[in-house]
Amino acid sequence: MKEVSLKVVENGGIIRSIQNHGLRTFPHRFKAKYPDYLTQQRYYEQGRFISVYYDANPATLKKVENILNMNDQVLRVTHLKSRSKLDWINYRHDKNPYVQKILKQDKEL
């Protein structure tokens, strides 16, 4: 995670948080690309889940993906775009009952 954080900061991004979710059991057995060099193990039933929240441009995202994909200890990588609270507001007045209620109150005044 130090390497990923350094790459994000070097390219003008901001690390918001890093969360270690601990060891978890996978929903199914995962197969690594290559066997582990110490134990020669290729199938894993448990793994450490880590979330990194950062703001960066798309070029930095590609660089972070490359770093994680090249690491033998990383089994799977998922990038999600986080949403702000404002994204959850439904602006369609005809579908949002809360907006309809406020509009109705404004008409009564």
Side-chain angles (χ1 to χ4, degrees):
M1 290 299 101
K2 287 181 184 180
E3 188 178 358
V4 169
S5 300
L6 182 64
K7 185 59 75 177
V8 170
V9 172
E10 281 178 349
N11 289 294
I14 299 171
I15 301 291
R16 298 288 179 189
S17 71
I18 299 175
Q19 296 178 358
N20 182 357
H21 302 284
L23 286 174
R24 291 188 180 178
T25 304
F26 294 139
H28 57 83
R29 189 171 73 158
F30 278 9
K31 182 179 178 182
K33 293 179 197 173
Y34 305 104
D36 186 27
Y37 61 92
L38 292 177
T39 62
Q40 297 301 314
Q41 182 178 357
R42 190 160 186 169
Y43 294 95
Y44 296 90
E45 295 181 9
Q46 284 188 336
R48 181 169 308 279
F49 283 69
I50 298 174
S51 297
V52 180
Y53 296 93
Y54 64 93
D55 297 331
N57 58 22
T60 305
L61 173 72
K62 281 296 200 188
K63 291 176 184 178
V64 168
E65 282 182 347
N66 289 339
I67 290 170
L68 293 173
N69 287 334
M70 295 298 290
N71 191 336
D72 292 340
Q73 294 179 343
V74 176
L75 295 177
R76 297 288 187 271
V77 176
T78 303
H79 283 271
L80 301 173
K81 182 178 180 180
S82 66
R83 299 181 134 202
S84 70
K85 291 184 179 183
L86 294 176
D87 290 338
W88 295 102
I89 296 174
N90 186 355
Y91 288 106
R92 291 195 56 197
H93 304 302
D94 58 333
K95 298 288 185 182
N96 192 331
Y98 302 107
V99 173
Q100 288 178 357
K101 184 177 177 181
I102 291 172
L103 291 174
K104 187 176 179 181
Q105 287 175 354
D106 285 344
K107 286 181 184 179
E108 291 175 359
L109 296 175

